[in-house]
Amino acid sequence: MASIIPVIFILAMIIGLMACGYLFVPKGPHQTTIRTAIMLTLASCYLMWMVTYMAQLHPLITPYRSSSKGESI
Amino acid sequence: MGDDYPTLFRSEQMSLMQFLIPTEVAHDTVAELGELGNVEFKDLNPAVNPFQRSFVGEIRRTEEMARRVRFFESQIQKEKDVVPIRPLYNSAPLVTVGPSAAHNIDELDVTLAEHETRLVQMNDSYKTLSERTRELVEARHVLRETAVFFEKAETQQTDIRTSFDDSSAPLLQHDDREQQYLSTVQFDLEFVAGTIDRTRISTFERVLWRVLRGNLYMNHTDITEPFVDPATGTETRKNVFIIFAHGDALLAKIRKVAESMGATLYPIDANADKRSDSLREVTARLEDLETVLYNTGVNRRSELLRIGENLAKWQDVVRKEKAIYETMNLFNYDVRRKTLVAEGWVPTRDLTMIHMALRHATEESGTSIVPILQELRTNKTPPTFTRTNKFTEGFQTIMDAYGIATYQEVNPGLFAIVTFPFLFAVMFGDIGHGLIIFFAALYMIFKEKKWAKQELDEILGQFFYGRYIILLMGMFSVYTGLMYNDIFSKSLHIWHSGWDFPESDGVSYAVSNGHMYPFGVDPAWHGADNGLVFTNSYKMKMSIVLGVIHMTFALCLQLPNHIRFKRPLDIYANFIPQMIFLQSIFGYLVVCILYKWSIDWSTRDTEPPSLLNMLIAMILSPGKVDAASQLYTGQGFIQVVLLLLAAVCVPWMLCMKPYFQWKEMQMIQGQGYVGLGHRNGGPRESADEVLEIEEEGNGRVIVEEMEEEHEQHDFSEVVIHQIIHTIEFCLGCISHTASYLRLWALSLAHAQLSEVLWSMTIEKFLGMSGIFGTIALVMVVVFWFSATVFILCIMEGLSAFLHALRLHWVEANSKHYQGEGYLFTPLSFAKLDEKE
């Protein structure tokens, strides 16, 4: 299950959303601001998700616990 | 420009306009433009002393009015019972434009003067009356106490004989004998009575004793209620004293001593009847005075109330008038045409509004001469004006604090709207804390309208000003909290974890179960002993990836600037080598990080290399890559190529631009121009001057400020500038990339603090049972929550805010920002309000 495909797939999706954001924001005094905000938000959120996902794809270490604690929350 | 709408991408285009305003309409025109808030007037009389300017008289009058208004304000503030001041939005406006304006202002002047004289008079009479009241009260006390003394003396007469033989108090006996003697003579002994401060009474007694060698009898009592000084409010306690002595000389001495010690003497009659008459008289006068005092107080209060009704309106009018006349002082008076000439910067987009405003002003004033507006050509740099609304204002301010953008360069404030809260959130990532600051910001936004009118104190005012920044910071923090899987130091377990922990007594190693936690850090890492090892590696690499991408983005912002200001040389000589340098080393690092993550190392026979060592080896020993620990085949060759590319960029940056600039200088010199401007412009100027006198309203700038610095194209300066620029960039690349590691450091500190807080407080109390346990748990939860808000949200929040800001100012702005502009400060009555 852990493969690189979701990264590429979601990248394509985000690029599509960014294009929509660029094309479909109505003209007005705030067009630049809204466009920039949408595109930057999508890009930065995707970047962070991508880094988090890829860091855990093929981890080099395995977690271990010294005493059996219950799972969180 | 052809754009329909203003954007935040660049500052607005400005035009220098010349206004020709007929003198009659001048005041109203400036008032109208001040209401609009769109024109920044230039000072056309820079050499004139402020005391010699044309409108000094009017300014002096407005200052006088302002002083009176300030006096009223201070008087109202001193009142103990609050005098309500009718707020400005509720007051009927005072018309200051139009034909009735001058009359209204004169009337205002007279009204203010009247109010002031009345108030000052009432204050003075109140003071004198209170003093007199005090004196009368003291006199009454003196009368009463002395009556007591005399009565006591009479009654004591009979007791004295019995204690005559007692030798322990010889002086007292002497006095009693005196008194006895007195009683037969109907109290013919002279005495001095009065009041003195309680603190001084013992000194007084001692001094008198020494001066009169004991030839006196003194008695004193406390006055129970203290005297309050109306001006300062201090309380003084006094005593009544009465001194019996024999002989004029002694009495004179007593009087002198009393006066020197600050006592007040009152004439008291020995006769009891006369005393009671005086007492009645004093009481009657006191009552009268108190009535008068009360009436004065009531009058004063009603006067203040009346003033309070209009105070805000007056303050507003006075402020505006002062601003108008100060602005009019900047204008140039053209004697021939009897008009005032003004020059000002106006955003080009607002020109129609200005035209309409001018027409409106002339209509209001009733004349038919419309001020003329002309555009001037100039090579002075216009001010930088970015049109913001309440949302973008905060972001623009924090980026402007670093430096105002040069006229029409790319505005980093636009991008900071998202990148700033995002980088903050990377350092702050916690769902719970993010929600707390999100709701705090939401609350401030709901109370926006109300709080905007109030005077908020400094700290709350700062937070309120940045409420939209905080809102976005909260939203992004919730997202990064989801990524870090951290809510109040616990992790959420929304999807299927990728690790299973087998039951074991000792150490339990997790086993991968094929799942992949799709959104965020796997909760299995939370609570694992080596959890920090994983998260540190993950966060550090993330910081580098985000940092290099942010810096690349900032570098790319140079392109629109170079294209706009028509500097193609800069693209080839600065932008391209900088980009290649940055990417060939740090871009390569980022690619390696991502590549290393994407490989399943269990299927490879090489060991996963340490990227840090790899980078160092790339620079120190290029070409040598150990086959057992290589990241990919051909690595050695590719790394050498990249290193050579980076090495080539340095002389490229150093030499290309100076060389081309030198060639340009040669070309200019070759064509025979010596120096710049003056000589060539000389003959042309004089010809124009002749024409100017005949032409009406030509487009010449009135004040040719010779401050224009003609850049000396001294070649050495160019070279030095380029050297500094190159070194700064290359060293900066390395140090800034490392600087982004603060994203990791702060998020680690935040997570650890959060965990420590939980484990040291609530966790310890969770196991307790019973009533005591529950109460203790509740108290600990309260403590935990307040520590969360104050330490983790506010303190850590401010810290992360500062670091995110630093990243923007230093790491990002140094890649593209010039920041040499000056802010557009229009004449705006709305802003006058804020300034105070």
Side-chain angles (χ1 to χ4, degrees):
Chain A
M1 232 302 267
S3 79
I4 197 93
I5 308 227
V7 172
I8 305 176
F9 179 66
I10 303 236
L11 175 66
M13 199 172 83
I14 294 286
I15 293 184
L17 282 173
M18 280 169 75
C20 286
Y22 186 82
L23 295 169
F24 296 133
V25 172
K27 263 193 183 277
H30 307 296
Q31 190 192 28
T32 326
T33 315
I34 300 180
R35 260 190 195 165
T36 319
I38 292 181
M39 288 167 65
L40 274 178
T41 312
L42 287 170
S44 45
C45 290
Y46 168 74
L47 267 176
M48 191 160 183
W49 172 82
M50 176 192 85
V51 165
T52 315
Y53 187 85
M54 286 179 70
Q56 298 178 97
L57 258 186
H58 306 288
L60 294 171
I61 53 173
T62 49
Y64 64 86
R65 288 198 190 126
S66 51
S67 61
S68 48
K69 272 200 235 167
E71 300 237 296
S72 36
I73 297 198
Chain B
M1 286 295 283
D3 18 342
D4 316 296
Y5 292 104
T7 94
L8 216 55
F9 186 59
R10 292 184 195 286
S11 72
E12 298 244 346
Q13 192 190 33
M14 312 290 280
S15 334
L16 184 63
M17 304 304 288
Q18 186 178 58
F19 299 79
L20 293 165
I21 312 175
T23 329
E24 309 90 59
V25 221
H27 175 270
D28 294 354
T29 314
V30 177
E32 193 74 33
L33 292 175
E35 297 283 347
L36 258 187
N38 261 328
V39 188
E40 178 179 347
F41 286 102
K42 275 169 66 174
D43 189 359
L44 295 176
N45 308 317
V48 180
N49 189 306
F51 295 106
Q52 293 167 348
R53 298 206 184 204
S54 0
F55 296 98
V56 170
E58 277 83 354
I59 290 191
R60 224 172 261 151
R61 196 170 74 149
T62 358
E63 266 303 318
E64 200 42 35
M65 291 201 276
R67 182 190 62 79
R68 292 198 176 114
V69 169
R70 274 197 302 272
F71 171 65
F72 296 149
E73 200 180 333
S74 63
Q75 287 293 305
I76 287 183
Q77 272 177 4
K78 272 199 237 159
E79 283 290 295
K80 287 200 200 80
D81 296 323
V82 175
V83 174
I85 300 183
R86 183 180 278 264
L88 192 57
Y89 55 84
N90 223 358
S91 317
L94 193 68
V95 176
T96 52
V97 292
S100 60
H103 168 72
N104 284 349
I105 300 288
D106 288 335
E107 211 179 287
L108 181 65
D109 202 7
V110 166
T111 318
L112 288 176
E114 271 178 19
H115 277 294
E116 187 191 21
T117 32
R118 269 206 296 264
L119 209 56
V120 167
Q121 250 176 19
M122 277 195 269
N123 281 351
D124 284 339
S125 54
Y126 196 87
K127 212 161 46 157
T128 13
L129 287 174
S130 336
E131 260 182 49
R132 208 157 316 145
T133 317
R134 202 162 50 90
E135 280 173 24
L136 287 176
V137 170
E138 279 183 23
R140 193 176 56 184
H141 278 293
V142 170
L143 282 169
R144 283 212 200 109
E145 301 306 327
T146 47
V148 172
F149 290 156
F150 284 123
E151 280 173 38
K152 251 201 296 184
E154 279 185 50
T155 56
Q156 266 181 0
Q157 276 265 321
T158 48
D159 305 331
I160 282 165
R161 287 222 183 265
T162 52
S163 59
F164 191 70
D165 291 323
D166 199 324
S167 57
S168 58
L171 271 86
L172 213 63
Q173 291 178 0
H174 171 74
D175 283 352
D176 292 341
R177 248 190 285 135
E178 284 282 319
Q179 280 210 336
Q180 176 194 19
Y181 170 69
L182 272 179
S183 62
T184 54
V185 197
Q186 284 274 301
F187 288 108
D188 214 17
L189 194 68
E190 289 96 19
F191 57 89
V192 172
T195 59
I196 188 171
D197 248 349
R198 198 167 296 174
T199 47
R200 294 235 177 111
I201 191 89
S202 40
T203 329
F204 188 44
E205 269 185 286
R206 251 178 295 136
V207 170
L208 278 176
W209 194 258
R210 276 191 227 125
V211 167
L212 303 174
R213 288 173 224 204
N215 285 331
L216 78 158
Y217 174 68
M218 177 168 170
N219 204 337
H220 61 91
T221 12
D222 298 343
I223 302 181
T224 38
E225 37 338 296
F227 291 96
V228 184
D229 184 4
T232 54
T234 48
E235 295 185 339
T236 37
R237 284 157 203 280
K238 295 212 168 175
N239 285 21
V240 176
F241 63 86
I242 180 161
I243 306 172
F244 293 92
H246 192 52
D248 284 329
L250 287 180
L251 285 173
K253 273 193 211 161
I254 295 174
R255 288 211 181 86
K256 278 216 194 91
V257 171
E259 268 163 49
S260 74
M261 298 243 48
T264 350
L265 299 175
Y266 291 93
I268 307 285
D269 209 293
N271 192 325
D273 289 330
K274 291 213 189 114
R275 270 206 310 274
S276 46
D277 277 345
S278 320
L279 190 59
R280 240 175 290 130
E281 200 185 309
V282 164
T283 323
R285 276 214 298 197
L286 208 56
E287 275 174 20
D288 287 339
L289 264 182
E290 296 214 329
T291 327
V292 175
L293 209 58
Y294 175 74
N295 283 339
T296 316
V298 164
N299 275 345
R300 183 166 176 274
R301 189 168 170 82
S302 65
E303 182 80 16
L304 284 177
L305 282 170
R306 246 177 307 156
I307 293 177
E309 282 282 305
N310 296 320
L311 190 65
K313 187 166 56 168
W314 292 339
Q315 277 173 331
D316 185 49
V317 167
V318 162
R319 211 170 26 212
K320 280 190 195 163
E321 288 294 305
K322 182 153 176 245
I324 292 177
Y325 284 115
E326 277 178 351
T327 314
M328 281 168 69
N329 266 342
L330 303 175
F331 299 169
N332 199 354
Y333 186 58
D334 188 345
V335 191
R336 265 191 320 118
R337 301 177 230 174
K338 295 222 176 41
T339 58
L340 286 167
V341 182
E343 276 179 27
W345 290 107
V346 177
T348 315
R349 201 180 300 278
D350 293 335
L351 275 178
T352 28
M353 255 207 289
I354 304 270
H355 277 290
M356 276 171 48
L358 291 178
R359 208 165 302 142
H360 185 238
T362 24
E363 280 170 22
E364 285 271 317
S365 75
T367 63
S368 58
I369 322 163
V370 184
I372 302 175
L373 209 56
Q374 263 181 13
E375 179 156 358
L376 298 173
R377 309 247 167 278
T378 176
N379 50 7
K380 281 220 81 182
T381 333
T384 312
F385 174 52
T386 330
R387 212 179 285 265
T388 53
N389 56 21
K390 67 182 180 189
F391 175 72
T392 54
E393 191 182 14
F395 298 101
Q396 189 60 39
T397 311
I398 60 176
M399 295 312 281
D400 273 347
Y402 178 70
I404 309 285
T406 315
Y407 179 62
Q408 295 228 302
E409 77 162 336
V410 171
N411 173 26
L414 171 65
F415 307 102
I417 296 178
V418 168
T419 57
F420 177 78
F422 178 69
L423 288 181
F424 170 88
V426 173
M427 294 190 266
F428 194 73
D430 186 308
I431 301 177
H433 302 152
L435 283 174
I436 291 178
I437 65 177
F438 177 74
F439 285 125
L442 216 57
Y443 175 72
M444 283 196 285
I445 293 176
F446 273 138
K447 293 275 185 167
E448 209 169 52
K449 285 214 171 64
K450 198 173 102 173
W451 285 15
K453 291 207 189 97
Q454 286 176 357
E455 281 279 320
L456 292 171
D457 82 289
E458 215 178 309
I459 297 183
L460 192 59
Q462 296 268 47
F463 281 114
F464 178 70
Y465 190 77
R467 58 197 181 278
Y468 285 104
I469 311 182
I470 301 180
L471 184 78
L472 252 56
M473 276 159 41
M475 286 180 359
F476 277 104
S477 297
V478 172
Y479 176 76
T480 53
L482 212 54
M483 288 285 103
Y484 292 154
N485 211 345
D486 191 354
I487 174 167
F488 293 129
S489 86
K490 300 283 153 204
S491 54
L492 295 171
H493 207 124
I494 307 178
W495 295 275
H496 211 297
S497 168
W499 303 94
D500 290 325
F501 281 97
E503 284 294 321
S504 156
D505 288 330
V507 181
S508 154
Y509 286 90
V511 171
S512 167
N513 58 17
H515 282 117
M516 171 81 188
Y517 202 76
F519 204 72
V521 171
D522 199 308
W525 290 105
H526 179 90
D529 284 354
N530 59 348
L532 265 185
V533 177
F534 171 73
T535 40
N536 281 350
S537 157
Y538 150 66
K539 283 181 182 174
M540 279 176 151
K541 291 181 178 164
M542 180 167 71
S543 311
I544 300 288
V545 170
L546 289 177
V548 172
I549 294 182
H550 190 216
M551 285 198 289
T552 312
F553 178 70
L555 200 59
C556 291
L557 289 179
Q558 268 189 27
L559 263 181
N561 282 340
H562 294 324
I563 296 177
R564 182 64 147 80
F565 296 121
K566 303 206 176 26
R567 310 192 280 237
L569 178 63
D570 270 344
I571 301 182
Y572 299 114
N574 270 344
F575 171 67
I576 294 191
Q578 282 177 350
M579 186 58 98
I580 296 182
F581 185 85
L582 182 64
Q583 299 310 319
S584 60
I585 303 185
F586 299 103
Y588 173 65
L589 177 63
V590 167
V591 167
C592 288
I593 291 176
L594 294 175
Y595 181 64
K596 184 177 170 191
W597 270 339
S598 65
I599 301 178
D600 191 352
W601 288 98
S602 54
T603 61
R604 283 260 195 122
D605 34 337
T606 48
E607 281 293 309
S610 153
L611 289 172
L612 187 59
N613 292 341
M614 183 198 83
L615 189 69
I616 296 176
M618 168 176 161
I619 305 198
L620 287 185
S621 49
K624 293 203 208 80
V625 173
D626 190 5
S629 64
Q630 69 175 13
L631 191 56
Y632 54 92
T633 48
Q635 187 178 356
F637 175 69
I638 292 188
Q639 284 186 183
V640 168
V641 167
L642 288 173
L643 198 59
L644 281 176
L645 268 179
V648 155
C649 287
V650 177
W652 185 352
M653 274 192 269
L654 267 177
C655 302
M656 185 170 178
K657 189 164 169 194
Y659 172 67
F660 276 99
Q661 283 191 326
W662 179 73
K663 277 190 70 178
E664 204 179 300
M665 273 167 59
Q666 296 288 69
M667 201 175 68
I668 292 178
Q669 280 181 1
Q671 291 184 15
Y673 290 96
V674 181
L676 291 147
H678 293 277
R679 237 202 265 166
N680 275 338
R684 265 195 275 123
E685 270 193 75
S686 54
D688 270 348
E689 264 179 57
V690 173
L691 285 172
E692 188 189 333
I693 300 170
E694 287 158 22
E695 273 181 47
E696 287 276 313
N698 52 6
R700 299 269 349 250
V701 181
I702 291 289
V703 178
E704 275 291 357
E705 276 157 52
M706 288 305 161
E707 301 162 10
E708 268 302 316
E709 277 166 32
H710 301 291
E711 276 176 47
Q712 290 298 313
H713 283 293
D714 200 5
F715 187 59
S716 55
E717 268 196 37
V718 173
V719 171
I720 292 177
H721 181 84
Q722 198 61 18
I723 294 179
I724 295 175
H725 197 71
T726 309
I727 297 180
E728 202 183 318
F729 180 78
C730 295
L731 289 180
C733 261
I734 307 172
S735 80
H736 293 166
T737 311
S739 176
Y740 275 96
L741 284 172
R742 70 188 67 225
L743 295 174
W744 155 67
L746 261 92
S747 75
L748 174 68
H750 189 91
Q752 291 298 298
L753 255 180
S754 178
E755 197 176 309
V756 161
L757 184 65
W758 176 274
S759 59
M760 291 285 133
T761 54
I762 298 192
E763 198 167 291
K764 299 242 185 275
F765 283 75
L766 271 178
M768 301 175 84
S769 56
I771 276 283
F772 176 69
T774 336
I775 296 178
L777 185 63
V778 167
M779 282 175 24
V780 157
V781 168
V782 168
F783 171 73
W784 170 85
F785 188 73
S786 36
T788 300
V789 168
F790 283 103
I791 300 180
L792 284 168
C793 290
I794 296 184
M795 188 189 86
E796 276 283 312
L798 283 173
S799 171
F801 185 99
L802 178 84
H803 284 282
L805 198 57
R806 175 251 155 74
L807 284 177
H808 280 76
W809 283 356
V810 179
E811 274 74 20
N813 277 359
S814 64
K815 304 280 178 296
H816 73 277
Y817 199 52
Q818 286 169 306
E820 289 165 352
Y822 62 103
L823 201 56
F824 177 61
T825 38
L827 170 71
S828 165
F829 293 146
K831 296 244 179 67
L832 275 182
D833 209 9
E834 282 167 24
K835 235 188 275 172
E836 292 186 25

